[in-house]
Amino acid sequence: MVQAKVFFKCENFQKMGAFKMRGAANAILSLSSDEQAKGVVTHSSGNFAQALALAAKKIGVKAYIVMPKNAPQVKKNAVKTYEGEIIECDSNPIAREEMAVKVQKETGAKFIHPSNDDAVIYGQGTAAMELLENYPDLDYIFSPVGGGGLIAGTALAAHYFSKYCKVIGGEPINADDAYRSLLSGKIELNDSTDTIADGLRTNLGDRNFPIIKKYVEKIMRVEEEEIIAAMKLIWERMKIIIEPSSAVAFAALLKNKSDYKNKNIGIIISGGNVDIANLPF
Amino acid sequence: MVQAKVFFKCENFQKMGAFKMRGAANAILSLSSDEQAKGVVTHSSGNFAQALALAAKKIGVKAYIVMPKNAPQVKKNAVKTYEGEIIECDSNPIAREEMAVKVQKETGAKFIHPSNDDAVIYGQGTAAMELLENYPDLDYIFSPVGGGGLIAGTALAAHYFSKYCKVIGGEPINADDAYRSLLSGKIELNDSTDTIADGLRTNLGDRNFPIIKKYVEKIMRVEEEEIIAAMKLIWERMKIIIEPSSAVAFAALLKNKSDYKNKNIGIIISGGNVDIANLPF
């Protein structure tokens, strides 16, 4: 179909269903035992909340998860299953940052940002590292771009563990902050984030953007219908369940396949947490 | 969840999305070169049509597929993609058998039954054989029961390649011909086949039933809602796409889990061909 060899790194099969487990585990394991004893805190209503809670549980560390009051009950339940302590806040970015600071002050817990944290970035990079261990001849790795942690880690892994592998980002046109940030040279924000790829609505941060600027070859944008078509193709032909955000990198390859003929290409399938009762097809 | 170790043989990842590829390939490869030169013929509106067409194409043999006129266009297209020659017939069992005989007479092609054929049965058994190669300590293998080819092959594999592994069938209560056949000692038919597990509506045959009678430990029946719940669980937790028929064996284990505590259990996930635009959840 692409006239290239394509290898998929299936992070949908990762613990809690997404690559986020890697960064969360690495961030907690990078703390001193004194720091670990005080616990960790993050603000997230998505996969990172579950990842940090599960990683903390496995390592034996307390996790405080700041979540907006109106977060879906299913996501709150998942965090509770992993024994994370939920602290509710109002549903806006300032309220959740303030609440995270408050928890830090009261408990001494270490704040871990879902994507703008060095240890998180390095952890996310282990997906590409493993892919390159299995397929050292990859010419390109395609990764989705959301908050920037995954693609920054992927770019570092390609830089340090491969001689020539280049990293390309896939991003929804409807939330193309990273594409515009690479053009302007500074972190751009999204005016709107009307995309089915709900994991890719966040903005880049000051820790991951410099890495992305230095090591990512380019970012390619895709339309909503291209994301849905790529997702459906993977479901139907590969028989695996991936979330819309995961389809974005593959959609970018499909859209530009003529440029990648006969190449060896890795695709990071970032996760598989999707509401199967509410599908776009 | 089951308090047992459970290993899944994922035939949804098989070529054309189901275990049927194994039996089709083995049946064609078991023919003499003279027989192969004349081609093969089957009647099927389901996975076996695609499997025989694809296996024939790969081996370089002509495949004639007798399909009812009203078979879904998507299934006809799949057979055409694999270069099978479709011969249409009226939509009833007698018409399709007569048409298959007619094709045999006119072309000299060898008839290969989807489930009641020794070479097909042995081919289907290679799934369990591979599972036992990887996990020699399995106490049980659960397989769905449809036309009987898969479970008969599975039972032979367990008998010949394991010292103590027993084979258990899962069957929809709404199409429990195999369950009743084991009780009565002769092949029973289904009065109705009102089950979502569309691959399991067929009856046993005179080649596979004696094997099932001799080597299958027992057949356990499940309700429609148990099939759907097991299917949903696998989709959501394992992030793989399986068809309803595949969920029946796992549903049988879930229903009777207290009997299988601390055992090593293999489950044959028979296929993943499902219309994702038309799901039961």
Side-chain angles (χ1 to χ4, degrees):
Chain A
M1 195 175 284
V2 186
Q3 293 186 279
K5 280 196 184 165
V6 184
F7 302 89
F8 295 85
K9 181 65 174 169
C10 289
E11 294 294 293
N12 53 333
F13 295 148
Q14 185 59 265
K15 291 277 173 205
M16 52 64 59
F19 72 93
K20 302 264 180 182
M21 188 64 189
R22 297 175 179 272
N26 193 50
I28 299 176
L29 290 169
S30 301
L31 299 177
S32 69
S33 52
D34 280 358
E35 288 172 317
Q36 286 189 355
K38 289 174 185 161
V40 290
V41 56
T42 196
H43 52 67
S44 163
S45 55
N47 282 333
F48 194 74
Q50 291 178 51
L52 195 71
L54 178 56
K57 184 188 172 195
K58 289 204 175 271
I59 299 165
V61 165
K62 174 91 186 170
Y64 304 93
I65 313 291
V66 176
M67 296 182 96
K69 274 178 197 150
N70 61 357
Q73 193 59 41
V74 60
K75 298 204 170 181
K76 291 183 188 171
N77 290 346
V79 169
K80 281 180 192 160
T81 304
Y82 301 143
E83 299 168 22
E85 184 175 330
I86 294 171
I87 295 110
E88 292 194 337
C89 66
D90 288 337
S91 177
N92 67 69
I94 294 168
R96 65 186 213 173
E97 283 184 25
E98 282 179 354
M99 184 59 84
V101 170
K102 186 162 173 271
V103 173
Q104 279 181 79
K105 282 193 183 149
E106 288 176 9
T107 63
K110 175 91 175 172
F111 177 69
I112 298 179
H113 190 280
S115 56
N116 197 41
D117 176 292
D118 291 353
V120 169
I121 292 167
Y122 304 152
Q124 316 304 28
T126 58
M129 186 187 74
E130 290 171 8
L131 190 57
L132 284 163
E133 279 170 3
N134 287 328
Y135 305 104
D137 295 339
L138 293 181
D139 299 300
Y140 296 94
I141 298 177
F142 281 65
S143 161
V145 189
L150 177 62
I151 194 163
T154 302
L156 288 176
H159 178 72
Y160 287 107
F161 302 120
S162 158
K163 285 205 178 95
Y164 50 80
C165 180
K166 295 190 174 85
V167 170
I168 291 175
E171 196 175 33
I173 283 186
N174 290 2
D176 65 349
D177 57 301
Y179 173 83
R180 288 181 287 105
S181 299
L182 276 194
L183 280 186
S184 73
K186 62 185 178 54
I187 296 174
E188 303 287 346
L189 307 182
N190 286 310
D191 291 333
S192 74
T193 55
D194 183 21
T195 174
I196 190 176
D198 55 347
L200 309 186
R201 292 173 188 157
T202 41
N203 299 305
L204 302 179
D206 62 342
R207 300 304 308 164
N208 57 52
F209 181 53
I211 299 169
I212 294 169
K213 206 156 61 168
K214 191 164 178 188
Y215 294 118
V216 170
E217 173 89 351
K218 62 176 155 181
I219 291 175
M220 302 195 300
R221 299 175 302 166
V222 289
E223 304 278 359
E224 292 299 296
E225 55 268 39
E226 292 168 332
I227 298 170
I228 294 169
M231 178 173 162
K232 187 159 184 264
L233 185 65
I234 287 180
W235 281 49
E236 289 188 330
R237 300 293 282 270
M238 294 173 63
K239 313 293 183 191
I240 62 173
I241 288 173
I242 66 166
E243 58 195 42
S245 304
S246 292
V248 171
F250 185 50
L253 173 61
L254 284 176
K255 187 174 190 169
N256 301 280
K257 60 185 175 185
S258 58
D259 295 340
Y260 299 94
K261 233 173 166 172
N262 301 321
K263 298 294 183 188
N264 293 318
I265 296 168
I267 306 261
I268 311 273
I269 296 292
S270 51
N273 292 331
V274 56
D275 180 359
I276 60 171
N278 185 18
L279 297 175
F281 36 71
Chain B
M1 195 176 282
V2 186
Q3 294 186 279
K5 280 197 183 163
V6 184
F7 303 89
F8 295 85
K9 180 65 174 169
C10 288
E11 294 294 294
N12 53 332
F13 296 148
Q14 184 58 263
K15 291 279 175 206
M16 52 64 61
F19 72 93
K20 301 262 179 182
M21 188 63 188
R22 297 175 179 273
N26 193 50
I28 298 175
L29 290 169
S30 301
L31 299 178
S32 69
S33 51
D34 281 357
E35 288 172 317
Q36 287 189 351
K38 289 175 186 160
V40 291
V41 56
T42 195
H43 52 67
S44 163
S45 55
N47 282 332
F48 194 75
Q50 291 178 51
L52 195 70
L54 178 56
K57 184 188 171 192
K58 289 203 176 271
I59 298 166
V61 165
K62 174 90 186 170
Y64 304 92
I65 313 292
V66 175
M67 296 182 96
K69 274 178 198 148
N70 61 356
Q73 193 59 41
V74 60
K75 298 205 168 178
K76 291 183 188 170
N77 290 347
V79 169
K80 281 181 193 160
T81 304
Y82 301 142
E83 299 167 20
E85 183 174 330
I86 295 172
I87 294 109
E88 293 193 335
C89 67
D90 288 337
S91 179
N92 68 69
I94 294 167
R96 64 187 214 174
E97 283 184 25
E98 283 178 353
M99 184 59 83
V101 170
K102 186 163 173 272
V103 172
Q104 279 181 81
K105 281 191 182 152
E106 286 176 9
T107 64
K110 176 91 176 172
F111 176 70
I112 298 178
H113 190 280
S115 57
N116 197 42
D117 175 293
D118 290 353
V120 169
I121 293 167
Y122 304 154
Q124 317 303 27
T126 58
M129 186 187 74
E130 290 170 9
L131 189 58
L132 285 163
E133 279 170 4
N134 287 327
Y135 305 103
D137 295 340
L138 292 181
D139 299 300
Y140 297 94
I141 297 178
F142 282 64
S143 160
V145 189
L150 177 62
I151 194 163
T154 302
L156 288 176
H159 179 72
Y160 286 106
F161 302 118
S162 158
K163 286 209 178 92
Y164 50 80
C165 180
K166 296 191 173 87
V167 170
I168 290 174
E171 195 175 33
I173 283 186
N174 289 4
D176 66 349
D177 56 302
Y179 174 84
R180 287 181 287 106
S181 299
L182 277 194
L183 280 186
S184 73
K186 62 183 178 58
I187 296 173
E188 303 287 344
L189 307 183
N190 286 310
D191 290 333
S192 74
T193 55
D194 184 21
T195 174
I196 189 175
D198 55 347
L200 309 185
R201 292 173 188 155
T202 42
N203 299 306
L204 303 178
D206 63 341
R207 300 303 309 163
N208 57 52
F209 180 55
I211 300 170
I212 294 168
K213 206 157 59 168
K214 190 163 178 188
Y215 295 117
V216 170
E217 173 87 352
K218 63 175 152 179
I219 291 175
M220 301 195 300
R221 298 175 302 165
V222 289
E223 304 279 358
E224 292 298 296
E225 54 267 39
E226 291 168 332
I227 299 170
I228 294 168
M231 178 174 163
K232 188 159 183 265
L233 184 65
I234 287 181
W235 282 49
E236 290 189 328
R237 300 293 283 270
M238 293 174 63
K239 312 294 184 191
I240 63 173
I241 289 175
I242 67 165
E243 58 195 43
S245 304
S246 292
V248 171
F250 184 50
L253 172 60
L254 284 175
K255 187 172 191 169
N256 300 280
K257 60 186 175 186
S258 59
D259 296 339
Y260 299 95
K261 233 173 166 171
N262 302 322
K263 298 295 183 187
N264 294 318
I265 296 168
I267 306 259
I268 311 273
I269 296 291
S270 50
N273 292 332
V274 55
D275 180 359
I276 60 171
N278 186 17
L279 298 175
F281 37 72

